Amino acid sequence: MDALKTNTGVLEFTATEIMTVAASRLLKDGTVCFVGIGLPSTAANLARLTHAPDVVLIYESGPIGAKPTVLPLSIGDGELALTADTVVSTPEIFRYWLQGGRIDVGFLGAAQVDRFANINTTVIGDYANPKVRLPGAGGAPEIASQAKEVFIVLKQSTKAFVNKLPFITSAGYLDGGDAREKAGIPGKGPAAVITDLGILTPDPVTRELTLTSVHPGVTVEQVKAATGWDLKVSPDLTTTAVPQSHELEALRDLLAHTAKAHGQSAGGEG
Amino acid sequence: MDALKTNTGVLEFTATEIMTVAASRLLKDGTVCFVGIGLPSTAANLARLTHAPDVVLIYESGPIGAKPTVLPLSIGDGELALTADTVVSTPEIFRYWLQGGRIDVGFLGAAQVDRFANINTTVIGDYANPKVRLPGAGGAPEIASQAKEVFIVLKQSTKAFVNKLPFITSAGYLDGGDAREKAGIPGKGPAAVITDLGILTPDPVTRELTLTSVHPGVTVEQVKAATGWDLKVSPDLTTTAVPQSHELEALRDLLAHTAKAHGQSAGGEG
Amino acid sequence: MARLTPLHEAVSDIIQNGDTVALEGFTHLIPHAAGHEIIRQGKTDLTLVRMTPDLIYDQIIGSGCASKLIFSWGGNPGVGSLHRFRDAIEQGWPRPLAYEEHSHAALANAYVAGASNLPFAVLRGYTGSDLPKVNPNIRFIECPFTGEKLAAIPSIRPDVTVIHAQKADRRGNVLLWGIVGVQKEAVLAAKRAIVTVEEVVDELDAPPNACVLPRWAVAAVCHVPGGAYPSYAQDYYERDNRFYQAWDAISRSREAFTAWIDRHVRNTADFEEFKRVFAETTKSKEAV
Amino acid sequence: MARLTPLHEAVSDIIQNGDTVALEGFTHLIPHAAGHEIIRQGKTDLTLVRMTPDLIYDQIIGSGCASKLIFSWGGNPGVGSLHRFRDAIEQGWPRPLAYEEHSHAALANAYVAGASNLPFAVLRGYTGSDLPKVNPNIRFIECPFTGEKLAAIPSIRPDVTVIHAQKADRRGNVLLWGIVGVQKEAVLAAKRAIVTVEEVVDELDAPPNACVLPRWAVAAVCHVPGGAYPSYAQDYYERDNRFYQAWDAISRSREAFTAWIDRHVRNTADFEEFKRVFAETTKSKEAV
């Protein structure tokens, strides 16, 4: 997927780059963001380094107001502690800050999502006899339910975008409609799923994920083919604005610094 | 009462002094002690300055391992923070350290106690129409129930030592016998009540406070006359060992330093 | 997001009549200047919450600002009774004061529950005490795993919490240290928070894992040097124990109290003027 | 009361077969040296608790020391799967591994409840998640005041908690800073605690309100410089991200894993020898 190159004027960018840039743009300046490791952390830090210098990044390991200059490989990197406004205990993060209702945006990755933006990071196959055992819940169930809204970022494929999840680790809109509100979940839920092909947002009534933006050079058919259900397409479908040169530069600088510091670029909890 | 002077060899001491010294002697070295302000704090610090240099003093405001050189006037004096091994939040003190079961001795004062060592610090008269409104519970109910054992120090009089309390703020042995255990209270309860006249300890079976030691120069009749119930006297009644000169010197030094620093000598919560 | 603002504006904008207000500080960092400003502005019908209603609440209660008090220990530490608090409870002067009474452990847990956005706190507590008999907000629940009986009380979620801290930076991030009491929990349990500070600095220079309140968790930060007086601010000034003793005489009669409050609080424009007048009256008294 | 003792003595005396043991550290300060000593001593039937069973638990599980795991996220951070953990769960090698699975928020709260000597923790959580369907230790209770439904889970009260910290003084008082995770709660929730430290000093020089564990809350303090490796110790050394990546290949097959554990852990006398052997094997590998 990363090999996909699109020509838009002079700029070239990968599918992962436009995914990251598109995700970063959704973070408003001043937002308090609870950041998952990996793609969410890249996007959130890109936002901070571009249009949202006052975004507040909180990691579940304890740093509040982290301003890393290289991306953390794990959720508890020293860089997060050293650049934070303060570091509190992990229980405090979950109790006072997340459950306390002080998080505007939860920024999550996922192994799988379904048509109602529920998330699976637990298991593929049967829980007791797993086909693939995934890492598990981590902070996601409570981030997904307690942040005022949620952005999910992951690459799109039929393996990842399934009609019905084998296991709901973290709630999106459950069975759709007002099921989430009826279950008493405080946060509003996933506002957008940002992929390497486009942006999906929940229908205001049914809450079914609907394609509302395709990335430049991607066709609707490509997105549908990468989705495990009959993906609805918004009548107001737009094309994602191309990454601007300062965004791409900031992203590439960040990744280059990170690779230099770590010798790798991904990230995970732990 | 403080005017009472007793001659024992060359040493002269007041009733308050022997009360404080007797109370201090009950604290073993290395004990972790949750300290109430006022008389308990004086006695606990005297223990630390004499026979128990490794006693660990914890105050409800947050200091752990406080080693004050002047007595605190209030439970949150700066001297406590500056001399402590660490200072934690007040919720942490009550949750992790007291309720956590890590306190050997709770050292309390009281406005009133009854024959089963229950404590009143709330009200004299009817709760809704108080004759005298006392300060209230503070930390005492949970110190009295959760410290492994409890020492109570207060001056003896019929007003303070009553047969039945108008209000039980903090549990001693409730109605006596095994009432405390039956109520599911974890700590063993008051091991001794130290007064300016003697030492009262609970009968092993009935748990009724019994006079087990009188201070030198005090008669049993004096103690009975200062008690609001028919005080039982132990068949093994002893006389409290007189304060030693190094104990009196340490106590007087401590009080002198305190008076010099504060211009007063009492203490309270807050 | 914290605004750096004068105290009178913060109190005027953020505290409404009828609000539940917690002024916290455990001996240390008690927000006296903010308490005075509440009196000066004649706020009414407040439900006051505080573990240790000491002089600051004696003054607010005696000034008639409060209709209810939630507390766990009410006294003048090291001195004796709070006369205004007792007069309100015992005689209803200057107005009746409803009160709800807990232990320290329970209120500390209730602030934690409030900061955690939970409706109630669970603790081992109150067993054998008469407090549950007089406070219907002390209940008992069963552990769903062991069947053990535990005490439960409602969480505290004030409309406004007011604290005093040592430092803020120019963006409104707050740092406090020493005896930090329940201040962080009280701030995070509240809908809005006002923090008065000794000093506004360019950089907080907070040590690792210090007690920091980020600017976006606080509504207003007010630069009020000395604002904890007669309480203390560690590394800035000490507790004025003499004033705590003097308060006993000032507060003993309604007349002396009212005269003191009028002269020092109601008839002063702000805390700076309070300090000037207080210095004068203290000097003249010592001269007598 | 903390004894300053060699690590092998602490593990031998304090951890018994069948114990519930928590080795905590959130990326930072993970007690790898102590984990190795558990393997070296062939402890068995342990119930392991850890929010993030990463390499340290992959090694202990793969070595057959554990019969049960309580966890909330099991992966090699930034790299991928834990192959030994998955092999135990999916194939029962080298022995079946029962597991109880929670969210981070729930386990963090369960440690807090354990430290607070409460039998259960209350949180807003798990709503809409399938985890309660597969974990009977996730239940729901009602607030006795509002009727709101809240999740409850049993508290964690390990027999032994093991952590790594930066400093201890000669009396056994411990200081840690930076990302402190759930370490304080895990230590205070446990019956006994072992702390390995980078450095033993005359004076802790702890900043105000630092994370200090007093000596009487800890059973043993062991001086093990580098004892968090390949995790990091802030202000001492950085995380060895390359080893986390290398672990993926080492742990992928049972044979390669066993050979690595035998050579580096089972056949070394202690962590000092581990460090020497590890340096050699790493150098020779890089030379290839």
Side-chain angles (χ1 to χ4, degrees):
Chain A
M1 227 21 114
D2 281 11
L4 176 74
K5 292 277 197 294
T6 310
N7 258 310
T8 55
V10 290
L11 275 180
E12 289 211 333
F13 50 86
T14 67
T16 301
E17 283 174 338
I18 190 168
M19 169 170 67
T20 307
V21 168
S24 81
R25 286 174 179 164
L26 294 175
L27 262 194
K28 295 195 192 81
D29 200 16
T31 298
V32 178
C33 180
F34 201 110
V35 189
I37 209 68
L39 289 173
S41 177
T42 309
N45 279 291
L46 179 59
R48 186 177 57 77
L49 294 167
T50 54
H51 66 281
D54 277 344
V55 71
V56 178
L57 304 188
I58 296 187
Y59 289 79
E60 64 195 17
S61 56
I64 293 178
K67 294 166 277 291
T69 56
V70 299
L71 290 171
L73 279 183
S74 98
I75 203 83
D77 272 22
E79 174 76 4
L80 298 175
L82 291 169
T83 63
D85 293 329
T86 188
V87 180
V88 302
S89 74
T90 296
E92 184 180 319
I93 280 286
F94 282 105
R95 289 157 59 89
Y96 293 178
W97 300 91
L98 178 60
Q99 185 174 273
R102 296 184 174 273
I103 306 298
D104 298 316
V105 171
F107 217 138
L108 292 173
Q112 293 187 315
V113 296
D114 68 14
R115 66 198 298 161
F116 295 115
N118 301 298
I119 293 175
N120 176 24
T121 54
T122 301
V123 71
I124 294 174
D126 181 55
Y127 184 78
N129 294 294
K131 203 152 79 182
V132 182
R133 175 64 228 196
L134 302 167
E142 284 74 25
I143 298 172
S145 61
Q146 290 163 357
K148 284 172 197 155
E149 62 180 354
V150 172
F151 300 137
I152 303 169
V153 56
L154 81 166
K155 293 189 181 178
Q156 198 153 357
S157 73
T158 51
K159 272 195 174 175
F161 283 68
V162 299
N163 186 46
K164 194 166 166 51
L165 292 174
F167 194 95
I168 298 182
T169 311
S170 306
Y173 295 103
L174 300 174
D175 299 323
D178 59 356
R180 182 181 169 99
E181 292 83 347
K182 275 193 180 155
I185 301 178
K188 276 189 287 183
V193 179
I194 304 96
T195 82
D196 49 346
L197 302 179
I199 300 173
L200 287 65
T201 58
D203 178 273
V205 177
T206 66
R207 309 299 177 97
E208 183 173 328
L209 285 178
T210 305
L211 184 66
T212 46
S213 187
V214 285
H215 297 333
V218 176
T219 66
V220 168
E221 285 62 40
Q222 278 178 291
V223 189
K224 280 172 157 279
T227 307
W229 68 87
D230 184 14
L231 178 66
K232 294 217 169 86
V233 179
S234 167
D236 305 320
L237 181 72
T238 58
T239 300
T240 311
V242 295
Q244 296 188 307
S245 58
H246 77 277
E247 291 171 320
L248 280 177
E249 273 168 36
L251 175 57
R252 289 170 186 174
D253 274 4
L254 183 60
L255 294 172
H257 287 148
T258 302
K260 198 174 165 193
H262 293 321
Q264 70 182 99
S265 62
E269 307 203 19
Chain B
M1 222 31 106
D2 282 11
L4 176 72
K5 291 277 197 295
T6 310
N7 257 311
T8 56
V10 291
L11 276 179
E12 288 210 335
F13 50 86
T14 68
T16 301
E17 283 174 338
I18 191 169
M19 168 170 68
T20 306
V21 169
S24 80
R25 286 174 178 165
L26 295 175
L27 263 193
K28 294 195 191 83
D29 200 15
T31 297
V32 178
C33 180
F34 201 110
V35 189
I37 209 68
L39 289 173
S41 178
T42 310
N45 278 291
L46 178 60
R48 186 177 58 77
L49 294 168
T50 53
H51 67 281
D54 278 343
V55 71
V56 177
L57 304 187
I58 295 187
Y59 288 78
E60 64 195 17
S61 56
I64 293 178
K67 294 165 275 292
T69 56
V70 299
L71 291 171
L73 280 182
S74 98
I75 204 83
D77 273 22
E79 174 76 5
L80 298 175
L82 291 169
T83 62
D85 293 329
T86 188
V87 180
V88 301
S89 74
T90 296
E92 183 179 320
I93 281 286
F94 282 106
R95 290 157 59 90
Y96 293 178
W97 300 90
L98 179 59
Q99 185 173 273
R102 296 184 174 275
I103 306 298
D104 298 318
V105 171
F107 217 139
L108 293 172
Q112 292 187 316
V113 296
D114 68 14
R115 66 198 298 162
F116 295 114
N118 301 298
I119 293 175
N120 176 25
T121 54
T122 301
V123 69
I124 295 174
D126 181 54
Y127 184 79
N129 293 294
K131 203 152 79 183
V132 182
R133 176 63 228 195
L134 302 167
E142 284 74 24
I143 299 171
S145 61
Q146 292 164 354
K148 284 172 196 155
E149 62 180 354
V150 173
F151 301 136
I152 303 169
V153 56
L154 80 167
K155 294 189 180 179
Q156 198 153 358
S157 72
T158 52
K159 272 195 174 173
F161 282 67
V162 300
N163 187 46
K164 194 166 166 52
L165 292 175
F167 194 95
I168 297 182
T169 311
S170 306
Y173 295 103
L174 300 174
D175 298 325
D178 59 357
R180 182 181 170 99
E181 291 82 347
K182 276 194 179 153
I185 301 177
K188 276 188 286 182
V193 179
I194 305 97
T195 82
D196 49 345
L197 302 179
I199 300 174
L200 287 66
T201 59
D203 179 272
V205 177
T206 66
R207 308 299 177 96
E208 183 173 329
L209 285 178
T210 305
L211 184 65
T212 46
S213 186
V214 285
H215 297 333
V218 177
T219 66
V220 169
E221 286 61 42
Q222 278 177 292
V223 189
K224 280 171 155 279
T227 308
W229 68 86
D230 184 14
L231 178 66
K232 295 218 169 85
V233 179
S234 166
D236 305 319
L237 181 72
T238 58
T239 301
T240 312
V242 294
Q244 297 187 305
S245 58
H246 76 278
E247 291 171 320
L248 280 177
E249 272 168 36
L251 174 58
R252 289 169 186 173
D253 274 4
L254 183 60
L255 294 173
H257 287 148
T258 301
K260 198 174 164 193
H262 293 321
Q264 70 184 96
S265 62
E269 308 203 20
Chain C
M1 194 63 65
R3 292 177 297 144
L4 267 84
T5 178
L7 178 57
H8 68 93
E9 275 184 35
V11 169
S12 167
D13 293 354
I14 293 171
I15 302 179
Q16 308 305 319
N17 293 335
D19 273 356
T20 296
V21 180
L23 288 84
E24 277 295 353
F26 211 116
T27 308
H28 184 212
L29 295 173
I30 299 173
H32 274 273
H36 285 180
E37 191 56 31
I38 287 171
I39 295 168
R40 214 172 265 129
Q41 295 191 14
K43 302 284 180 187
T44 58
D45 288 319
L46 303 179
T47 291
L48 296 176
V49 190
R50 182 168 161 75
M51 291 179 66
T52 55
D54 41 19
L55 270 53
I56 189 173
Y57 273 26
D58 214 33
Q59 294 177 0
I60 298 175
I61 290 166
S63 301
C65 304
S67 57
K68 187 178 173 186
L69 174 67
I70 299 174
F71 78 107
S72 44
W73 192 88
N76 182 345
V79 178
S81 282
L82 292 178
H83 301 295
R84 297 300 97 223
F85 159 72
R86 283 185 57 184
D87 200 14
I89 280 177
E90 295 170 10
Q91 311 293 333
W93 189 90
R95 52 177 295 178
L97 183 72
Y99 57 99
E100 178 180 330
E101 189 166 0
H102 287 278
S103 68
H104 276 353
L107 277 198
N109 274 287
Y111 275 119
V112 169
S116 306
N117 188 27
L118 291 172
F120 70 109
V122 177
L123 69 152
R124 293 186 190 275
Y126 286 126
T127 327
S129 170
D130 284 339
L131 280 164
K133 296 179 190 167
V134 298
N135 182 348
N137 269 341
I138 302 169
R139 299 185 188 170
F140 292 89
I141 61 166
E142 268 189 15
C143 170
F145 301 97
T146 64
E148 281 170 273
K149 200 174 131 188
L150 297 148
I153 60 162
S155 59
I156 296 174
R157 295 193 262 197
D159 295 302
V160 185
T161 286
V162 184
I163 67 164
H164 187 75
Q166 281 110 330
K167 274 189 197 176
D169 66 21
R170 295 189 197 289
R171 308 189 70 199
N173 298 296
V174 171
L175 171 64
L176 53 161
W177 66 87
I179 290 179
V180 294
V182 294
Q183 280 100 306
K184 181 186 248 190
E185 287 75 16
V187 164
L188 296 180
K191 295 192 185 79
R192 307 179 290 281
I194 300 172
V195 184
T196 57
V197 296
E198 287 300 324
E199 203 181 355
V200 176
V201 295
D202 290 329
E203 294 290 335
L204 282 186
D205 290 325
N209 311 110
C211 185
V212 170
L213 293 163
R215 66 190 192 286
W216 47 274
V218 169
V221 170
C222 312
H223 185 207
V224 188
Y229 178 88
S231 163
Y232 74 103
Q234 190 177 315
D235 300 327
Y236 289 80
Y237 48 90
E238 298 202 343
R239 191 170 186 265
D240 185 357
N241 293 307
R242 280 174 188 79
F243 184 76
Y244 280 80
Q245 292 177 293
W247 183 251
D248 192 68
I250 295 167
S251 62
R252 204 170 275 269
S253 83
R254 295 174 184 175
E255 295 68 29
F257 165 78
T258 305
W260 190 92
I261 284 286
D262 282 347
R263 172 135 194 215
H264 294 89
V265 182
R266 290 205 182 100
N267 297 339
T268 55
D270 56 20
F271 193 67
E272 285 305 310
E273 195 182 343
F274 162 82
K275 287 196 279 191
R276 282 196 300 277
V277 171
F278 182 76
E280 285 164 24
T281 56
T282 307
K283 199 186 288 171
S284 66
K285 216 171 276 164
E286 281 179 355
V288 173
Chain D
M1 194 64 66
R3 291 175 298 143
L4 267 84
T5 177
L7 178 57
H8 69 92
E9 274 184 37
V11 169
S12 167
D13 293 354
I14 294 171
I15 303 179
Q16 307 305 319
N17 292 336
D19 273 357
T20 295
V21 180
L23 288 83
E24 278 294 354
F26 210 118
T27 308
H28 183 212
L29 296 174
I30 298 174
H32 274 272
H36 284 181
E37 191 56 31
I38 287 171
I39 295 168
R40 214 172 266 127
Q41 295 191 14
K43 302 285 179 188
T44 59
D45 287 319
L46 302 180
T47 291
L48 295 176
V49 191
R50 181 167 161 77
M51 291 179 66
T52 56
D54 41 19
L55 269 53
I56 189 172
Y57 274 25
D58 215 34
Q59 294 177 2
I60 298 174
I61 289 166
S63 301
C65 304
S67 56
K68 186 177 175 187
L69 173 67
I70 300 174
F71 78 107
S72 44
W73 192 89
N76 182 344
V79 179
S81 282
L82 292 178
H83 301 295
R84 296 300 96 223
F85 159 72
R86 283 185 56 184
D87 200 14
I89 281 178
E90 296 170 11
Q91 310 294 332
W93 190 91
R95 52 177 296 177
L97 184 72
Y99 56 98
E100 177 180 332
E101 189 166 0
H102 288 279
S103 68
H104 276 353
L107 277 198
N109 274 286
Y111 276 119
V112 169
S116 306
N117 188 26
L118 290 172
F120 71 109
V122 177
L123 70 152
R124 293 187 190 274
Y126 287 125
T127 326
S129 170
D130 284 340
L131 280 164
K133 295 180 190 166
V134 298
N135 182 348
N137 269 340
I138 302 170
R139 299 185 188 170
F140 292 88
I141 61 166
E142 267 189 16
C143 170
F145 300 98
T146 65
E148 282 170 273
K149 201 174 129 189
L150 298 149
I153 60 162
S155 59
I156 297 174
R157 294 191 262 196
D159 295 302
V160 185
T161 286
V162 184
I163 68 164
H164 186 75
Q166 281 109 330
K167 274 189 198 176
D169 66 20
R170 296 190 196 289
R171 307 190 71 199
N173 298 296
V174 171
L175 171 66
L176 53 161
W177 65 88
I179 290 179
V180 294
V182 295
Q183 281 101 305
K184 181 186 247 188
E185 286 74 16
V187 164
L188 296 180
K191 296 192 185 80
R192 307 178 291 280
I194 299 172
V195 184
T196 56
V197 296
E198 287 299 324
E199 203 181 357
V200 176
V201 296
D202 289 329
E203 294 290 336
L204 282 185
D205 290 325
N209 311 110
C211 185
V212 170
L213 293 163
R215 67 190 192 285
W216 46 274
V218 168
V221 171
C222 312
H223 184 207
V224 188
Y229 178 88
S231 163
Y232 73 103
Q234 191 177 313
D235 300 327
Y236 290 80
Y237 48 90
E238 298 203 343
R239 191 170 186 265
D240 185 358
N241 292 307
R242 281 175 188 79
F243 184 76
Y244 279 80
Q245 292 176 293
W247 184 251
D248 191 69
I250 295 166
S251 62
R252 205 171 274 269
S253 82
R254 294 173 184 176
E255 295 68 28
F257 165 78
T258 305
W260 190 93
I261 284 287
D262 282 348
R263 171 132 195 216
H264 293 89
V265 182
R266 289 205 182 102
N267 298 338
T268 56
D270 55 21
F271 194 68
E272 284 305 309
E273 195 182 341
F274 161 82
K275 285 196 280 189
R276 282 195 300 276
V277 171
F278 182 75
E280 286 165 24
T281 56
T282 307
K283 199 185 290 173
S284 66
K285 216 171 277 167
E286 281 177 356
V288 172

